Amino acid sequence: MSEIILKTTGLTKTYGQQHAVNQVNMTVHRGDVYGLVGQNGAGKTTLIRLVTGLTLPNSGEIELMGAHTASDLQHVRSRLGSIVESPALYPNLTATQNLETYRLQRGILERDCVARMLALVGLAGAGKKRFKDFSLGMKQRLGLGLALMSNPDFLILDEPINGLDPTGIVEIRDLIKRLSSEGVTILISSHILTELAQVSTRYGFIHEGKLLLEVTDRELAERCRRASHITVDDAAHAATVLEGQLGLRDFKVVSATEIRIYDQALQPAELARALFEHGIFVSGLQQLGDNLEEFFTELIDPRNHQVA
Amino acid sequence: MFNIIRADLYRLSHGKVIYSTYALLFAGIAMGALFSEYPAPLVVTTQITLVIPFILAIIYAVCAPDFNTAAIKNALANGSPRTSLYAARLILSFLLSELLYLLGIAVNFAAELISPAPPEMAYVGSSATLLTSIATQSFMILAMVATGCAIIFISRRGVVCIAVFLALFFGVSIALSIISFAGVEWIVSYDFTYTMGRFAAQFGDLEQAELIRGLALGAFYLLASTALGVVLFRRSEIK
């Protein structure tokens, strides 16, 4: 098991009577690109604000790069890079001046890192432009440059592709992949699931403040795979029929009465009829999702909360 | 903390607020000194209330932008201790405000030297008395800066500081003078302005008790506001 970069235990934050984050147990390992998935208002940003120390939890613990105590957490946060909610920089300063201010504040000695960061995020030609005159996409890029200034071990990005045009999205995606390949652990929150699906190696699904599920990309791919989920009276017998009589090999016996069939050679209705003809009673048949959105929609359905 | 001060100086040096604040005040002082019938020391010390808005501008320029733009998130999320951030802004505000005050005095004297119309009144105080008065007022400025910083760090909004100062320093003073409600010395505006004004008016024969009272009052505001500001800011939620 790889080193744990972030672990929260029973993390809770309430505002009045409302639980913004409710008993969240979350684990990010070194090298992960952790996709934090949730609707608007699900608690993603509050969770990130707790991790970055912008707000204090009501209860629960945060372990960040091995640190537990408040003073240790503060110390290790110097190894973080983050964009929380939206990039916050000084509007009347230029891009270069903003990064230089931050360089001085962080005590970063390399003077050329400002120019390097501007080039890295595709703003080499906009260094003399004031932040207030930037488009939303350019602001996002500059925010990312600022987050990367101190070569962080752990990068936390809250909705990093908001406002980016398609080219910008591709560039940021490539940058995230490159940083990941260089060993930077990344936590990305987003509600744009198709984008997360292209970079994440691990996912956390949050809804109404609760972390419903944590899975690796492989586990998620397995769960999202298009399949016919059938409920029968005898799954073992049904498996024999599927393989021997119907020639289907790609299926999984989930329980004594449930089978998940990934082989799409037969339509669901044909499948039910074929099984019935071989003496197997099919009491339920369900088509399972084929993409992250459907999986997520299914997951946050109140009737399915017991999944986690 | 040193890095934060360096970064803030860089930020301020690339903005217009500090330059225009200094320029406006010095221009005002110079114009006043050129045509005033009073000698420079008297003008300087009695002008203290006129300096207050400019000091307020400095406090605002140093402390408020981080909250107005939410840029304070960048520092805090990357492990800058809140106490260091607070201390850095407080120290920088102190330095820039005192510089403003002392340079203001220098401008005043310089303007009087080149004034075509020498003051009609003669200065009767001693240099020692003048220096004591200036030192006391400098200390009162520190107290005012500490109070202003505390208001911004507690409210996390620059505009609150301006509103509070305007209301207390000017609104209450005006109201007090209108209704002649003497004896309500606990009000911050009355304490600062009244005490400073009294130092100025009486610097010729500054009483020990006045001096001690002023210093004690300044020390109270400085320590109380700083302690409260640090404690509340350390626990506050950053939007």
Side-chain angles (χ1 to χ4, degrees):
Chain A
M1 183 64 72
S2 61
E3 180 193 348
I4 290 174
I5 291 289
L6 170 67
K7 184 175 183 180
T8 68
T9 311
L11 197 62
T12 301
K13 178 69 183 178
T14 57
Y15 293 102
Q17 297 295 312
Q18 192 182 357
H19 282 80
V21 169
N22 191 359
Q23 292 287 326
V24 167
N25 300 316
M26 170 189 186
T27 308
V28 180
H29 295 94
R30 182 173 289 285
D32 278 350
V33 178
Y34 189 106
L36 186 60
V37 185
Q39 295 171 303
N40 291 329
K44 303 185 296 292
T45 299
T46 305
L47 185 57
I48 287 174
R49 289 160 57 78
L50 287 164
V51 172
T52 51
L54 296 179
T55 189
L56 299 173
N58 293 92
S59 62
E61 287 183 6
I62 298 171
E63 179 190 328
L64 187 62
M65 293 181 261
H68 294 272
T69 64
S71 60
D72 288 347
L73 281 171
Q74 188 175 286
H75 181 70
V76 297
R77 283 191 182 110
S78 62
R79 290 157 59 193
L80 283 185
S82 61
I83 301 179
V84 184
E85 286 182 284
S86 56
L89 292 103
Y90 302 110
N92 292 317
L93 296 187
T94 65
T96 302
Q97 288 165 352
N98 264 298
L99 293 188
E100 178 64 11
T101 303
Y102 189 68
R103 184 188 75 80
L104 292 168
Q105 193 179 74
R106 294 297 305 272
I108 300 166
L109 296 175
E110 306 161 68
R111 284 172 180 268
D112 65 339
C113 75
V114 170
R116 196 156 40 81
M117 283 305 134
L118 286 173
L120 184 71
V121 295
L123 291 174
K128 290 182 179 173
K129 193 171 181 177
R130 290 182 194 276
F131 183 68
K132 66 180 178 185
D133 297 327
F134 272 24
S135 68
L136 184 58
M138 291 169 85
K139 287 179 178 176
Q140 287 284 9
R141 287 165 187 250
L142 190 60
L144 190 59
L146 190 116
L148 293 169
M149 281 271 286
S150 53
N151 295 321
D153 292 332
F154 185 23
L155 188 60
I156 298 177
L157 304 174
D158 190 8
E159 309 277 4
I161 56 169
N162 267 6
L164 291 179
D165 55 31
T167 314
I169 291 174
V170 172
E171 285 174 11
I172 297 299
R173 186 197 307 152
D174 291 343
L175 180 61
I176 288 169
K177 284 180 178 172
R178 199 173 87 207
L179 290 167
S180 175
S181 70
E182 290 170 1
V184 179
T185 306
I186 304 171
L187 167 65
I188 312 175
S189 86
S190 182
H191 56 266
I192 305 173
L193 305 183
T194 47
E195 273 311 312
L196 279 182
Q198 296 190 55
V199 292
S200 300
T201 59
R202 193 173 169 84
Y203 296 85
F205 294 89
I206 191 167
H207 182 61
E208 293 177 349
K210 291 184 177 176
L211 194 69
L212 299 178
L213 181 69
E214 242 183 359
V215 287
T216 64
D217 53 346
R218 286 185 182 181
E219 289 166 341
L220 187 65
E222 181 72 16
R223 287 188 182 225
C224 287
R225 220 171 141 194
R226 194 179 186 88
S228 300
H229 186 91
I230 60 171
T231 307
V232 293
D233 50 355
D234 183 352
H237 183 207
T240 312
V241 171
L242 286 172
E243 193 165 4
Q245 307 298 320
L246 303 178
L248 303 178
R249 300 195 187 284
D250 193 5
F251 62 86
K252 189 161 88 178
V253 178
V254 180
S255 72
T257 58
E258 290 174 301
I259 299 181
R260 193 166 291 178
I261 303 160
Y262 300 108
D263 200 319
Q264 300 292 311
L266 293 176
Q267 291 295 311
E270 294 172 332
L271 185 66
R273 194 174 64 233
L275 286 169
F276 185 74
E277 285 170 358
H278 287 86
I280 295 160
F281 177 65
V282 179
S283 59
L285 195 153
Q286 187 185 6
Q287 278 297 105
L288 295 182
D290 57 356
N291 62 42
L292 195 52
E293 275 111 345
E294 284 183 21
F295 176 79
F296 178 65
T297 308
E298 182 86 1
L299 185 68
I300 63 171
D301 187 324
R303 293 167 296 179
N304 299 328
H305 276 195
Q306 64 272 21
V307 169
Chain B
M1 192 169 70
F2 177 69
N3 287 335
I4 298 169
I5 293 175
R6 270 185 75 193
D8 281 348
L9 279 172
Y10 177 86
R11 170 173 61 83
L12 291 168
S13 70
H14 286 82
K16 293 175 187 159
V17 178
I18 291 295
Y19 299 121
S20 47
T21 300
Y22 274 61
L24 268 175
L25 180 68
F26 296 161
I29 286 175
M31 291 297 287
L34 283 173
F35 304 106
S36 174
E37 60 182 289
Y38 297 105
L42 194 57
V43 173
V44 169
T45 46
T46 52
Q47 273 181 344
I48 186 67
T49 48
L50 298 179
V51 177
I52 288 172
F54 295 92
I55 291 175
L56 189 57
I58 287 176
I59 300 169
Y60 188 92
V62 173
C63 301
D66 257 15
F67 294 105
N68 293 347
T69 62
I72 197 155
K73 288 188 299 190
N74 302 330
L76 295 179
N78 293 296
S80 291
R82 291 188 182 210
T83 312
S84 297
L85 268 171
Y86 192 104
R89 268 63 198 262
L90 186 60
I91 289 170
L92 188 57
S93 301
F94 279 164
L95 294 175
L96 292 176
S97 299
E98 292 297 346
L99 187 67
L100 180 87
Y101 175 64
L102 295 173
L103 285 178
I105 291 172
V107 168
N108 198 306
F109 276 92
E112 189 179 285
L113 285 177
I114 59 166
S115 172
E120 292 172 9
M121 289 176 63
Y123 172 56
V124 293
S126 69
S127 299
T129 312
L130 177 64
L131 287 176
T132 310
S133 183
I134 289 173
T136 309
Q137 287 192 340
S138 294
F139 186 71
M140 298 296 278
I141 286 173
L142 294 189
M144 195 181 83
V145 169
T147 308
C149 286
I151 292 171
I152 291 179
F153 274 87
I154 292 169
S155 67
R156 281 158 281 144
R157 286 181 182 84
V159 70
V160 174
C161 178
I162 292 176
V164 168
F165 268 68
L166 286 177
L168 291 180
F169 273 93
F170 299 106
V172 175
S173 296
I174 291 167
L176 282 174
S177 60
I178 289 172
I179 61 175
S180 301
F181 192 51
V184 191
E185 296 188 12
W186 55 270
I187 297 172
V188 63
S189 65
Y190 194 55
D191 279 338
F192 274 126
T193 53
Y194 183 73
T195 306
M196 285 182 181
R198 205 149 44 167
F199 286 149
Q202 299 180 355
F203 72 86
D205 54 347
L206 194 65
E207 292 174 11
Q208 190 75 7
E210 293 286 339
L211 188 66
I212 292 170
R213 182 186 176 279
L215 291 174
L217 191 68
F220 170 77
Y221 279 112
L222 196 154
L223 295 174
S225 62
T226 303
L228 191 67
V230 169
V231 167
L232 294 181
F233 177 60
R234 277 171 62 92
R235 297 201 58 79
S236 67
E237 181 153 336
I238 304 302
K239 297 285 183 189

